[in-house]
Amino acid sequence: MFIGGEWTRGSAGRTFEIVNPANNETIARAYEGNLDDVNRAVAAARDAFDNGPWRHMTGKERGEILRRTAEMIRADATKFAFLEAADVGKTFHRTLGYSIPQAIDGFEYHAARAREIEGKVRAVPERNFFNYRTWEPMGVVAEILPWNGPFMMACQKVSAILAAGNTVVIKPAQDGSLSNLELAKLFAKAGFPPGVVNIVAGPGRALGARLVEHPDVNMVSLTGGTETGKQVIRQSADTVKKVALELGGKNPHIVFEDADLPQAVQWAIWAAYADQGQICVSGSRLLLHKPIYEEFLDLFVNKVSALKIGDTMSETTDVGPVITRRHEQSILDYIAIGKQEGAVTILGGNKVTSAPFDRGNFIEPTIFTGVTPDMRIAQEEIFGPVVTVTMFNDDAEAVRIANGVKYGLAGGIWTQDIDRALRTASQLQAGQIYLNSYYSPAIVDSPAEGHKESGIGGTGVHKYMQEKTVFVKLKLD
Ligand code: NAD
């Protein structure tokens, strides 16, 4: 762990195993933090914020250190992609081609933003007053991360937190710690003053809860499941903390009769099966317009059945392992629930039991048809390679089904009618909409907040800041 600018084995010196989900072999051991370590990390971050130079540095100076971090990540891109593939089962090439550039972009983008944190002046002439408003950093921010995409998410969020002038304690998910711990080596070299960036690895419930409850932590930023988000809101009540939550999703992917079907099929595959469906914005609910239902499904099943399950390091692999045996079981349980509910698996539905995949956590890409909107598999986030298919008759029904879940994270729409596209986009209750693709280039500079139970707390650098107004009385007469 990295606390107060120094490497530490933690106060107990205990370790936990880092396991490759492709074969369940232990590939590393990491020191496991406990509550004392959390307290030390918070104390270091507190001291660095209250007494250190970081918050008083100019945006340009902070930006230079962030930019240096970006350069070091770029130089080590292959290593980070490898660690991420080995630790959480993302495919190496997708990680190298998409996640690592997005991570670098986070540091570069926020390096520039650090110089642009401006206030406002407002005249109040009738009383010889004016006021000025400034944005101030929150102080100590706890950044609690999930295991899916831990490197990109750490980079995008921590760079914003630091650009704003805060200090930070990072708590990676235990199943996604490896690339974050390696990233701390760059933090150690980039020139951050001691205590500005700290990282404590270990079991989430205890360490995360301590961070949330800690009186010296000013803000909690969590990316994780909706149930965890609700706990964080409860745990933060006694200290009235600012809380920013990026939570789960059950995202509709709507294909209208006038869609470019081959394109829509291609993107529906990406939306549902990239990273084995373990992406918060996965298009896990396919809603198909009646006139194209059969044609789309034929094309879709055909292409999904050709997806290649395989080694995360191979360039030809489409589908890798899911994160743990426990998560694999949870996905298989959902598949069983779907069957009990009367839905039909027209493809997949099983654990892959052939060698060498039997040693890892591989599940066949799965398609459920006959799914009605009230079924649990259509309501709950499965977070695996499982897509539910539901037919709709008209636009109003598509929107009603799309919005009929507690989540509101993302949604995709396929149509060549511009009015229909924009109308549906405005009607969907979600923070991020994809029209005629299912992809977000430049995600860091187009932040989107989750709606409904998918999140709260704002976006961008200001998310990690608070506003102050100063009223100034002038003696003009
Ligand atoms: P999770 O909720 O189990 O864990 C998230 C983090 O919270 C982990 O670091 C965990 O250790 C910690 N934690 C657990 N209990 C805690 C508590 N009581 N107090 C404080 N911290 C606690 O989520 P996960 O399984 O790691 O990640 C998958 C989930 O994350 C999915 O629901 C996914 O949709 C969501 N996610 C959302 C976004 C987004 O941008 N909205 C992005 C990625 C993932």
Side-chain angles (χ1 to χ4, degrees), residues 22 25 33 36 46 52 58 91-92 103-104 121 129 165 169 184 186 193 212 218 244 246 368 391 455:
E25 282 173 12
D36 282 349
R46 181 82 265 159
T58 63
T91 50
F92 171 79
I104 295 167
V121 179
F129 269 89
V169 178
L186 304 191
V212 178
N218 302 103
E246 298 186 29
F368 268 113
M391 187 200 288

Side-chain angles (χ1 to χ4, degrees), residues 144-148 153 171-173 204-205 208-209 212 222-225 228 231-232 235 246-249 280 381 383 409:
I144 304 176
L145 292 160
W147 50 260
N148 72 317
M153 260 175 282
K171 215 285 302 156
R205 215 149 281 177
V212 178
L222 167 93
T223 306
T228 308
Q231 280 178 31
V232 165
Q235 289 157 358
E246 298 186 29
L247 306 175
C280 55
E381 185 183 46
F383 223 53
L409 193 58

